[in-house]
Amino acid sequence: MLQAFFLLLIQEEWSFLHTVPVSWPKNYVVVEENDSYTLRCDPHTQNVKWLTPSDDCVNSSQNALELTDLENPCAGNYTCLTMDNILLKSVYLLIKENEDLKISCSLDSYSSPVLSCSVRVPFCRDCLVRAKANTSSVDDTNWLEMKFSDATKDSVLKFNLSLPMWCAFEEQIYPIVVTMEAITKSQYMSGSNSYYIRDIVVPGAPENVILNTDSNLGSWTYPSTWARHFSFFPLLFEVNIQFKNNKEIYELVYEMKKNMTNVKCMRVRCRDMYNNSMWSNWTTARSVSRAPRSPCKFK
């Protein structure tokens, strides 16, 4: 009965030799293409056998399995067994890609606990990806593991990473370090990037935009995602105004209102007032209550 169990386990191991792992391998090694590597089994067991994805790279097969001229067909799960089919060791071998992963992240507020990130994984048609964010040199957070499939040439993965407890009013001593790894059935790619929050904050668009022609006043409110208190985290607004004669102007505004006349349409965006952050998206264009014959079309 016990032997049948191990035979079933071996069959399961063998079934994943040429497919993407269902979860991140517990034991794996990453080697350079055309490099050599030696896999060692149990030093206390003399007679062993290996299950390998390919025999093309196997130079000698004893307790130590010598691999040479490693290429993608040689990547996969290497399993060491006793002659009685008892599992001794299992290692997943991956070929390292020369290109690094390019990671981009942003926050919608200084107090936001979630990083919005994206990464292009060039070789990813069917792959396993994991990512984590650390906020100091000593903390080590858990990996977020994701399965990703994409048939396009530029495979872009978007995901969110939770940050450990963060206080918006404290000075940021250490940067946030985002680390990523991606694997297919044969390839490995990694990358990392570090961020200071002041450099990646992108506010949400202003909300509750109103254009009141009776009072010649346009008004709006802070985005609901923005850090409180507003006096400590003030925003600068830019108003794009289109007049009835189709002339357009852009104007910076420090308040949440703007007096205007003969206006046809208006939209607003915002950014951090002091740290020169990136601008938010524009709000949806607001027209006068008696809609003009021609729709709002900003340049």
Side-chain angles (χ1 to χ4, degrees), residues 271-285:
R271 69 166 174 81
D272 186 283
M273 186 179 295
Y274 297 125
N275 282 327
N276 197 27
S277 71
M278 290 179 281
W279 285 101
S280 72
N281 292 326
W282 288 104
T283 60
T284 302

Side-chain angles (χ1 to χ4, degrees), residues 78-122:
Y78 287 79
T79 304
C80 180
L81 309 163
T82 67
M83 302 307 292
D84 296 328
N85 293 324
I86 297 175
L87 178 66
L88 296 174
K89 188 173 185 178
S90 180
V91 178
Y92 205 99
L93 186 141
L94 294 160
I95 308 297
K96 181 177 174 58
E97 288 290 306
N98 293 326
E99 185 178 353
D100 291 332
L101 293 172
K102 302 298 189 296
I103 309 164
S104 177
C105 295
S106 64
L107 283 165
D108 60 13
S109 169
Y110 289 99
S111 59
S112 174
V114 178
L115 272 173
S116 298
C117 300
S118 64
V119 61
R120 188 178 71 86
V121 190

Side-chain angles (χ1 to χ4, degrees), residues 44-63:
H44 303 294
T45 306
Q46 295 300 320
N47 296 320
V48 300
K49 58 184 178 181
W50 290 87
L51 296 181
T52 65
S54 171
D55 293 331
D56 295 341
C57 303
V58 178
N59 191 33
S60 65
S61 179
Q62 296 296 328
N63 193 292

